[in-house]
Amino acid sequence: MAQERAVLAGGCFWGMQDLIRKLPGVQATRVGYTGGDVPNATYRNHGTHAEGIEILFDPAVISYRQLLEFFFQIHDPSTPNRQGNDLGMSYRSAIYYVDDAQKEVALDTIADVDASGLWPGKVVTEVEPVGDFWEAEPEHQDYLERKPDGYTCHFARPGWVLPKRAAE
């Protein structure tokens, strides 16, 4: 079984983890802090890091493109530094690519989301090379599995689905 890594940020990491972990082909997830300036980031001290999710997935079951399309369906990529009631740099939308192929897929997907006109505005998602990923504290891992009624601003939006491409 092959395995690839994706690192995404789209607001509070609890809701993203809860939804993404359930996708066929997703083998493991963990939440943490990424894309910022503080070594050994923590919840109390994460500087300019975003709350992110690291995803290990089987590309034979789910492609990176499919993962990104779902990512764009469960958060609003048109709001800078915000998701729902959560405000600040920690809640920005970002894709941290691990190689040039992921960067190309990310830029292509963003172009398709923008061209579709289905989202409320233009995508402000950052596309940056992956850097350090500081795993969040245990109480943040699997949060919504342990507290099913806990806070989340993530949900699948049926109107935010890209049309299938001819090659698919």
Side-chain angles (χ1 to χ4, degrees), residues 22-135:
K22 296 172 183 168
L23 294 173
V26 171
Q27 300 166 331
T29 61
R30 65 181 181 143
V31 297
Y33 315 98
T34 190
D37 61 351
V38 174
N40 301 305
T42 65
Y43 186 75
R44 299 268 180 246
N45 181 27
H46 57 269
T48 61
H49 286 291
E51 289 192 8
I53 178 172
E54 179 184 64
I55 305 152
L56 301 178
F57 66 99
D58 181 349
V61 178
I62 186 169
S63 69
Y64 186 63
R65 168 73 184 219
Q66 290 169 316
L67 197 57
L68 292 183
E69 287 183 9
F70 187 71
F71 168 68
F72 285 119
Q73 186 187 10
I74 64 171
H75 86 291
D76 186 346
S78 69
T79 54
N81 299 325
R82 178 181 193 153
Q83 286 302 308
N85 295 325
D86 296 328
L87 299 170
M89 285 187 72
S90 299
Y91 307 109
R92 68 186 178 270
S93 177
I95 298 169
Y96 299 101
Y97 57 87
V98 301
D99 57 27
D100 288 340
Q102 280 192 356
K103 179 181 179 181
E104 185 177 320
V105 171
L107 295 174
D108 183 52
T109 306
I110 288 170
D112 289 346
V113 167
D114 276 339
S116 75
L118 298 173
W119 279 255
K122 291 294 183 189
V123 172
V124 297
T125 304
E126 298 173 3
V127 178
E128 302 289 336
V130 72
D132 292 328
F133 184 90
W134 306 102
E135 184 172 349

Side-chain angles (χ1 to χ4, degrees), residues 131-149:
D132 292 328
F133 184 90
W134 306 102
E135 184 172 349
E137 297 78 0
E139 63 268 22
H140 295 294
Q141 304 298 328
D142 310 313
Y143 181 82
L144 290 173
E145 286 202 343
R146 291 181 291 104
K147 299 186 183 279
D149 295 325

